């Protein structure tokens, strides 16, 4: 199989694909911020967005459900970190109101997908009330 055809498991996740598209948009747009905002706001925005991708990739490779969930939760928290950064960028006129709303809407879609991904990694040995289920012997 040619290297260009090979795909890692996380690359096939819709969550990863949507987060990747969001990252491309954020990187392209934030690189146009004023010079004074590049090393602070732009940098933080890009790092948080990139953290979503890397944590989804790293989480998918974990052996235990608990470890998977931990990385997916990191990705979720990184996505939430972007919300105030976008708001600040808009208030400083680094983003238009329309751009802010568009990025926020796309990010909300990513956040919803990350929440589902995290829930899918729940430990199946737990009951609905969160206590460990007793195994039959």
């Amino acid at each position: 199989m040619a290297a260009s055809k090979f795909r890692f498991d996380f690359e096939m996740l819709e969550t990863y694909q949507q987060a990747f598209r969001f990252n491309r948009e954020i990187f392209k747009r934030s690189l146009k911020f004023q010079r004074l905002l590049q090393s602070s706001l732009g940098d933080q925005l890009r790092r948080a967005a990139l953290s979503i991708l890397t944590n989804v990739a790293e989480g998918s490779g974990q052996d235990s459900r608990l470890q998977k969930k931990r990385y997916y939760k990191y990705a979720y928290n990184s996505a939430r970190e972007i919300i105030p950064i976008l708001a600040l960028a808009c208030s400083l006129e680094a983003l238009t109101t329309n751009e802010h709303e568009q990025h926020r809407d796309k990010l909300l879609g990513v956040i919803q997908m990350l929440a589902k991904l995290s829930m899918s990694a729940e430990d199946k040995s737990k009951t609905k009330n969160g206590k460990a289920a007793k195994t039959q012997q």
Side-chain angles (χ1 to χ4, degrees), residues 28-121:
K28 284 180 179 182
R29 182 58 186 94
S30 67
L31 290 172
K32 296 178 183 176
F33 285 1
Q34 299 171 15
R35 189 172 195 189
L36 291 173
L37 297 178
Q38 274 302 326
S39 62
S40 57
L41 202 60
D43 222 23
Q44 186 64 29
L45 180 57
R46 290 186 294 272
R47 280 196 312 270
L50 189 55
S51 178
I52 298 168
L53 287 177
T54 57
N55 280 300
V56 169
E58 200 165 353
S60 73
Q62 298 301 309
D63 292 329
S64 79
R65 289 184 177 272
L66 182 60
Q67 289 176 324
K68 282 182 187 294
K69 184 175 180 171
R70 181 176 298 127
Y71 281 98
Y72 295 156
K73 193 68 168 172
Y74 293 156
Y76 176 88
N77 288 335
S78 291
R80 287 179 51 94
E81 181 182 349
I82 293 171
I83 294 170
I85 299 171
L86 290 175
L88 184 57
C90 184
S91 74
L92 294 172
E93 298 178 356
L95 291 174
T96 66
T97 301
N98 189 43
E99 288 173 321
H100 173 243
E101 290 172 3
Q102 287 177 353
H103 291 314
R104 184 181 165 91
D105 287 346
K106 290 176 183 174
L107 181 60
L108 290 174
V110 171
I111 288 172
Q112 290 171 344
M113 294 180 95
L114 288 167
K116 288 178 184 175
L117 190 60
S118 180
M119 288 187 338
S120 75

